[in-house]
């Protein structure tokens, strides 16, 4: 919530989650597509936005919607909602990178996310699902997962 408050002036978690759901991270983040341009018109691009061989000699094997640099789009002035959408996406990207490492160490393709941060946080949940899907992880959310930390603390006594 601290960074959300710094970016928006808002301190209520539910309000920050609502802003993230209503915003457009493209107005705050610099995307891979911003660097390489819109290449979707080329005949050798696929439905995911990936371009494996481009006639101009540039190989762009990345999804054009991936973040190149957080909060680095200087062509637009992002709103509070746009800033929160970008922050939510940054959190999802970071969480999935860490999750991928843990899943690999444990030889798992199925992962579950827990915690109160996910309650009512549509933007974060969508980001987690999207990025897990991109790297081949099957992600889910536990029912009542916001109580998992408390249950773990209780069991550790």
């Amino acid at each position: 919530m601290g960074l959300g408050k710094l970016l928006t002036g808002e301190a209520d978690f539910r309000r920050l989650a609502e802003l993230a759901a209503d915003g457009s991270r493209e107005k705050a983040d610099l995307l891979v597509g911003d660097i390489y341009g819109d290449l979707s018109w080329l005949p050798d691009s696929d439905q995911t936005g990936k371009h494996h061989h481009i006639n101009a000699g540039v190989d762009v094997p990345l999804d054009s919607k991936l973040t190149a640099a957080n909060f680095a789009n200087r062509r637009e002035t992002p709103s509070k909602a746009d800033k929160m959408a970008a922050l939510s996406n940054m959190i999802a990207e970071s969480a999935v990178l860490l999750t991928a490492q843990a899943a690999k160490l444990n030889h798992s393709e199925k992962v579950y996310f827990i915690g109160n941060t996910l309650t009512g946080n549509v933007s974060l949940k969508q980001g987690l699902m999207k990025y897990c899907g991109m790297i081949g992880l099957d992600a889910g959310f536990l029912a009542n997962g916001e109580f998992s930390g408390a249950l773990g603390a209780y069991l550790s006594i």
Side-chain angles (χ1 to χ4, degrees), residues 9 11 13-14 26 31-32 40-41 60 63-66 68-69 72 80 87 115-116 119-120 124 128 149 153-154:
F13 176 77
R14 290 187 202 279
E26 290 85 359
L31 306 180
V32 169
S40 61
W41 58 271
V60 186
D63 187 315
S64 62
K65 294 292 184 186
L66 286 174
K80 287 180 179 184
L87 177 58
N116 196 41
T119 304
L124 182 57
L128 292 169
Y154 175 76

Side-chain angles (χ1 to χ4, degrees), residues 3 7 16 19-31 67 69-73 78-94 123-124 131:
L3 189 51
L7 291 171
L16 292 170
L19 284 169
D22 293 340
S24 173
R25 76 181 188 89
E26 290 85 359
K27 294 180 180 175
D29 287 342
L30 183 68
L31 306 180
T67 306
N70 298 102
F71 301 101
N73 184 344
S79 66
K80 287 180 179 184
D82 299 331
K83 291 175 189 175
M84 280 309 302
L87 177 58
S88 178
N89 186 75
M90 184 175 75
I91 292 167
E93 288 173 330
S94 300
S123 177
L124 182 57
Y131 293 118

Side-chain angles (χ1 to χ4, degrees), residues 12 16 18 34 54 89 106-107 123 141 145 152 154:
D12 179 69
L16 292 170
E18 289 170 2
D34 295 329
I54 296 178
N89 186 75
N106 291 286
H107 309 287
S123 177
F141 304 97
Y154 175 76

